[in-house]
mmCIF file of all heavy atoms in Angstrom:
data_model
loop_
_atom_site.group_PDB
_atom_site.id
_atom_site.type_symbol
_atom_site.label_atom_id
_atom_site.label_comp_id
_atom_site.label_asym_id
_atom_site.label_seq_id
_atom_site.Cartn_x
_atom_site.Cartn_y
_atom_site.Cartn_z
ATOM 1 N N TYR A 782 320.142 15.439 -159.162
ATOM 2 C CA TYR A 782 320.657 16.454 -158.342
ATOM 3 C C TYR A 782 319.953 16.520 -157.003
ATOM 4 O O TYR A 782 319.819 17.559 -156.370
ATOM 5 C CB TYR A 782 320.481 17.824 -159.004
ATOM 6 C CG TYR A 782 321.298 17.915 -160.207
ATOM 7 C CD1 TYR A 782 320.831 17.496 -161.446
ATOM 8 C CD2 TYR A 782 322.716 18.325 -160.191
ATOM 9 C CE1 TYR A 782 321.603 17.534 -162.566
ATOM 10 C CE2 TYR A 782 323.462 18.278 -161.305
ATOM 11 C CZ TYR A 782 322.969 17.858 -162.419
ATOM 12 O OH TYR A 782 323.739 17.881 -163.637
ATOM 13 N N LYS A 788 324.181 14.900 -151.256
ATOM 14 C CA LYS A 788 324.961 16.019 -150.643
ATOM 15 C C LYS A 788 325.908 16.607 -151.683
ATOM 16 O O LYS A 788 327.062 16.966 -151.350
ATOM 17 C CB LYS A 788 325.765 15.611 -149.438
ATOM 18 C CG LYS A 788 324.876 15.082 -148.290
ATOM 19 C CD LYS A 788 325.491 15.410 -146.990
ATOM 20 C CE LYS A 788 324.431 15.085 -145.886
ATOM 21 N NZ LYS A 788 324.884 15.518 -144.566
ATOM 22 N N ASN A 789 325.470 16.675 -152.889
ATOM 23 C CA ASN A 789 326.345 17.162 -153.977
ATOM 24 C C ASN A 789 325.785 18.593 -154.286
ATOM 25 O O ASN A 789 324.568 18.826 -154.360
ATOM 26 C CB ASN A 789 326.042 16.200 -155.158
ATOM 27 C CG ASN A 789 327.089 16.247 -156.130
ATOM 28 O OD1 ASN A 789 328.180 16.824 -155.849
ATOM 29 N ND2 ASN A 789 326.888 15.663 -157.324
ATOM 30 N N GLN A 858 333.547 34.355 -168.928
ATOM 31 C CA GLN A 858 332.902 34.085 -167.510
ATOM 32 C C GLN A 858 332.831 35.376 -166.716
ATOM 33 O O GLN A 858 333.716 36.239 -166.774
ATOM 34 C CB GLN A 858 333.875 33.115 -166.763
ATOM 35 C CG GLN A 858 333.790 31.647 -167.205
ATOM 36 C CD GLN A 858 334.574 30.744 -166.393
ATOM 37 O OE1 GLN A 858 334.819 31.013 -165.260
ATOM 38 N NE2 GLN A 858 335.032 29.612 -167.047
ATOM 39 N N THR A 861 331.202 32.900 -160.314
ATOM 40 C CA THR A 861 330.414 31.804 -159.794
ATOM 41 C C THR A 861 329.794 32.177 -158.510
ATOM 42 O O THR A 861 330.434 32.836 -157.651
ATOM 43 C CB THR A 861 331.326 30.517 -159.620
ATOM 44 O OG1 THR A 861 331.872 30.214 -160.862
ATOM 45 C CG2 THR A 861 330.559 29.437 -159.069
ATOM 46 N N TYR B 236 330.294 11.391 -155.660
ATOM 47 C CA TYR B 236 330.560 12.018 -156.895
ATOM 48 C C TYR B 236 330.803 11.004 -158.112
ATOM 49 O O TYR B 236 331.555 11.211 -158.962
ATOM 50 C CB TYR B 236 331.790 12.941 -156.831
ATOM 51 C CG TYR B 236 331.551 14.032 -155.858
ATOM 52 C CD1 TYR B 236 331.846 13.900 -154.567
ATOM 53 C CD2 TYR B 236 331.028 15.277 -156.324
ATOM 54 C CE1 TYR B 236 331.517 14.941 -153.650
ATOM 55 C CE2 TYR B 236 330.668 16.340 -155.445
ATOM 56 C CZ TYR B 236 330.999 16.097 -154.059
ATOM 57 O OH TYR B 236 330.699 17.080 -153.227
ATOM 58 N N ASN B 243 326.716 13.497 -162.981
ATOM 59 C CA ASN B 243 326.733 14.845 -162.335
ATOM 60 C C ASN B 243 328.167 15.335 -162.500
ATOM 61 O O ASN B 243 329.131 14.582 -162.266
ATOM 62 C CB ASN B 243 326.450 14.570 -160.870
ATOM 63 C CG ASN B 243 325.959 15.787 -160.152
ATOM 64 O OD1 ASN B 243 325.614 16.840 -160.812
ATOM 65 N ND2 ASN B 243 325.819 15.712 -158.901
ATOM 66 N N ASP B 286 327.855 20.334 -145.638
ATOM 67 C CA ASP B 286 327.436 20.370 -144.228
ATOM 68 C C ASP B 286 328.127 21.452 -143.417
ATOM 69 O O ASP B 286 327.697 21.929 -142.444
ATOM 70 C CB ASP B 286 327.685 19.000 -143.560
ATOM 71 C CG ASP B 286 326.758 17.916 -144.043
ATOM 72 O OD1 ASP B 286 325.636 18.339 -144.388
ATOM 73 O OD2 ASP B 286 327.147 16.760 -144.172
ATOM 74 N N GLN B 312 337.869 35.209 -156.850
ATOM 75 C CA GLN B 312 337.736 34.202 -157.825
ATOM 76 C C GLN B 312 338.670 34.458 -159.015
ATOM 77 O O GLN B 312 338.731 35.596 -159.449
ATOM 78 C CB GLN B 312 336.265 34.088 -158.260
ATOM 79 C CG GLN B 312 335.440 33.332 -157.391
ATOM 80 C CD GLN B 312 333.979 33.194 -157.865
ATOM 81 O OE1 GLN B 312 333.807 33.069 -159.109
ATOM 82 N NE2 GLN B 312 333.073 33.017 -156.995
ATOM 83 N N THR B 315 336.640 29.494 -163.614
ATOM 84 C CA THR B 315 336.228 28.087 -163.471
ATOM 85 C C THR B 315 336.686 27.395 -164.672
ATOM 86 O O THR B 315 336.548 27.852 -165.783
ATOM 87 C CB THR B 315 334.682 28.028 -163.397
ATOM 88 O OG1 THR B 315 334.262 28.743 -162.132
ATOM 89 C CG2 THR B 315 334.198 26.548 -163.330
#
Side-chain angles (χ1 to χ4, degrees):
Chain A
Y782 298 88
K788 298 212 169 185
N789 204 9
Q858 283 185 28
T861 298
Chain B
Y236 299 88
N243 204 9
D286 290 329
Q312 284 185 27
T315 297

